Amino acid sequence: MSKENSTDNEIRQSHSSLAHARDWNGSDDPGDPRNFSLGRRIYSTLAVTLLAFVTTFAASIYSPGSEEVARTFGVSQEVAILPLAFYNLGLAAGPLVGSPVSETSGRKVVLLITTPCFALFTLGAGFSNGIVALVVCRFFAGVFAAPAVGNASATLTDYTSGRYRAISFAFYYSVPTFGAALGPLVGGFVSQAKGWRWTQFTTIFLIVTFYIPILFTKESYKKTILQRRAKTLGVEGPPQVQRTTTETVRYFATTLLFRPLHMLLTEPIVTLVCLYNAFLFGLIYTFVVAAPWVYKTYYGFGVSGQSLSFLGMIVGTATAPFPLILIDRLLFQPRLKRFRETKSEDERFPPEHRLYPALMASFMLPACLFVFAWTARPDIHWIVPIIFQGLASLASLLIYASANLFMMDAYGPLY
C-alpha cells in the first residue's frame, strides 16, 4: 500500500513539474517577471531603457561634427550628413532581424551579442579615413544598435501588466527621445573641443557604461524561462518544432521577417500609425540638422549657442512622462475601472482609449511647428522659437507614445 502511495506521489509530482514547465504556476508564479521584486523590476527597466537611450544619442551626437567631416574628407555638407541618415536606416533595418531572434532565443542574449557589435562599428566610424567607410560603419552601428530599442519595449511588456503599462512606457518612450535631443548639445561641445571623431569615442564610453548593467539582468521572455525551467526539472518544456536548417531559414523569412512587412501593407491601422510615427521620428532628426542652422542664420549663434539651442527639445522630452501619466490616471484608468465593473474578464477593453494623449497633441503639434517657423527671425527674441521647438517635441512624443501603446493593446506584445 505504501509503495502504491509512493508511486502516486511520484506521478503527481511529475505531472506538476510538467505543468510548471509548460506555463506559469498561477498568477503568483515566482518565475513570472511580473512577480519579480520591485527592486529587480525597476533595475531591469532602467538597464534596458538606458541602453535604448544610447542608440538615439549615438545617432544625433554626430550631427554637430558634420561640417568638420565635410572639410576633412572634402565632400559637400549634404554628403557629410549621410552618416546620420544611414545610421537611422540601420535602426530601421535592425529590428527585422533582432526582434525575431528575441522571440526564439530570449531578450537578454540578443542584447549581449549585438551591443558589443554596436560598439565595434562605432569605433570603426571614429577611425574612418574616408566618407564611404564612415557611412558603412555608421549604418552597421545602427543595425546592431536597433535591438536595444525593440527589445526594451518587449522587456518592459514582460515586466508590466497591461493596466500599468502606461507608467513604465511613459518614461521608456521619453528617454530615447531625450537621447536624440541631448546628442547635439553634447556633440557640439565635444566636436568643438576634440574634433568630430570624439563624438564616436564618447558614444563608446556610454555604450560600455550602460552595457554592464545588462549583464546583471534576468531573462524576461516567457518561452525561454519555461524552457530553462524544464531543463532544470528534467522534463519536457513548451512544445518546440524541430526544423532543419533550410526550414529554419524559411521560417525566419516567411513568418518572422515578412510578418511585420505583411502587416504594414495589409493592415490600414498599422500602415497609418507607422507613417505617422515615421514622420514624428523624422521630425526629431530634422530639428537635429535644421535647428543649428536656424539659430546660426537668424540669431548669429556660435557653435556653443547652437548646441544650447537644443535645451528646448531636451526640456520638452524630459517633461513628456508627466502628462502621459496624468492622462492615464485621470482618463484611462477610471474608464478601465468602469468597464471592468460591468463587463466580464474575457472582454477586452477597447485599445482606442490609449489614444487620449494623441488626440490632444495632434492639434498641438502643427500649431507649435507653425509658431516655431513664424517666430524664427531676428526681430523676435530667440527664446520664443526655442520654447515652441520644445513644445513641438513634447507633442510629438505624446502622439508617439500613445500610438505605440494603442498598437500593443490592439495586436498584443507578440506582434
Side-chain angles (χ1 to χ4, degrees):
M1 188 70 175
S2 61
K3 182 181 288 188
E4 291 178 359
N5 289 337
S6 176
T7 302
D8 290 341
N9 288 334
E10 290 177 0
I11 292 173
R12 281 195 294 269
Q13 290 175 0
S14 176
H15 287 168
S16 177
S17 298
L18 185 60
H20 293 177
R22 292 191 170 183
D23 203 352
W24 300 132
N25 182 27
S27 60
D28 58 350
D29 189 322
D32 187 344
R34 295 178 184 179
N35 294 326
F36 289 172
S37 67
L38 179 62
R40 166 68 67 178
R41 282 180 284 144
I42 292 175
Y43 172 84
S44 299
T45 298
L46 287 174
V48 297
T49 300
L50 290 174
L51 190 61
F53 158 84
V54 180
T55 65
T56 53
F57 179 88
S60 59
I61 191 176
Y62 166 83
S63 179
S66 61
E67 290 187 7
E68 185 186 354
V69 169
R71 293 193 300 270
T72 302
F73 297 136
V75 296
S76 67
Q77 183 63 32
E78 289 78 10
V79 173
I81 289 294
L82 286 179
L84 173 65
F86 271 79
Y87 181 93
N88 285 289
L89 286 175
L91 285 181
L96 294 177
V97 178
S99 297
V101 172
S102 74
E103 293 178 9
T104 56
S105 303
R107 317 289 190 208
K108 184 176 178 180
V109 67
V110 176
L111 296 180
L112 293 178
I113 294 172
T114 58
T115 306
C117 297
F118 171 30
L120 288 174
F121 278 106
T122 303
L123 183 65
F127 284 113
S128 296
N129 291 321
I131 190 66
V132 174
L134 179 58
V135 169
V136 171
C137 285
R138 287 277 294 176
F139 172 77
F140 284 105
V143 169
F144 287 107
V149 179
N151 273 24
S153 58
T155 302
L156 263 63
T157 303
D158 294 337
Y159 281 116
T160 314
S161 62
R163 180 174 182 179
Y164 304 106
R165 197 171 287 156
I167 297 175
S168 57
F169 274 87
F171 289 98
Y172 165 67
Y173 287 129
S174 300
V175 169
T177 311
F178 178 82
L182 183 65
L185 189 152
V186 176
F189 288 103
V190 170
S191 61
Q192 187 178 22
K194 304 287 289 184
W196 74 267
R197 296 184 188 275
W198 273 91
T199 63
Q200 304 306 294
F201 300 148
T202 301
T203 302
I204 293 173
F205 295 144
L206 288 177
I207 294 172
V208 173
T209 300
F210 294 130
Y211 178 68
I212 293 173
I214 295 294
L215 301 176
F216 302 99
T217 60
K218 296 177 70 174
E219 179 58 57
S220 64
Y221 187 44
K222 179 178 179 179
K223 185 177 179 180
T224 302
I225 294 173
L226 293 177
Q227 287 172 345
R228 292 176 181 175
R229 178 186 289 181
K231 186 175 181 180
T232 301
L233 296 173
V235 297
E236 184 181 354
Q240 289 183 285
V241 179
Q242 299 298 322
R243 299 184 179 91
T244 64
T245 303
T246 304
E247 290 172 339
T248 300
V249 172
R250 186 183 298 116
Y251 173 73
F252 267 88
T254 58
T255 304
L256 300 179
L257 186 59
F258 290 137
R259 183 175 61 194
L261 297 176
H262 180 266
M263 292 176 67
L264 181 66
L265 298 174
T266 60
E267 296 279 347
I269 292 297
V270 177
T271 305
L272 293 173
V273 169
C274 286
L275 284 174
Y276 203 163
N277 281 349
F279 164 74
L280 297 174
F281 196 75
L283 179 64
I284 294 173
Y285 289 99
T286 301
F287 274 132
V288 166
V289 175
W293 180 88
V294 169
Y295 296 105
K296 175 184 177 181
T297 303
Y298 293 103
Y299 297 102
F301 281 16
V303 176
S304 299
Q306 294 170 37
S307 300
L308 290 172
S309 70
F310 285 96
L311 284 173
M313 286 183 65
I314 290 171
V315 173
T317 55
T319 56
F322 302 103
L324 284 170
I325 293 173
L326 185 65
I327 294 171
D328 178 73
R329 303 303 298 176
L330 295 181
L331 293 177
F332 182 83
Q333 295 295 340
R335 284 165 170 74
L336 175 61
K337 183 178 179 180
R338 289 197 295 270
F339 182 85
R340 288 287 167 236
E341 289 174 350
T342 58
K343 306 291 183 179
S344 67
E345 287 295 326
D346 296 331
E347 291 191 63
R348 188 177 66 166
F349 188 54
E352 287 77 11
H353 288 280
R354 291 289 192 188
L355 295 174
Y356 295 131
L359 289 173
M360 302 173 189
S362 61
F363 294 98
M364 176 181 170
L365 177 60
C368 291
L369 290 174
F370 177 82
V371 176
F372 167 76
W374 186 261
T375 57
R377 49 187 176 180
D379 57 322
I380 297 178
H381 197 277
W382 50 262
I383 194 64
V384 178
I386 285 179
I387 289 173
F388 281 94
Q389 184 176 330
L391 291 174
S393 300
L394 170 63
S396 67
L397 191 50
L398 293 179
I399 299 169
Y400 181 82
S402 58
N404 278 278
L405 285 169
F406 161 76
M407 294 282 282
M408 192 172 297
D409 283 4
Y411 290 94
L414 178 63
Y415 296 97

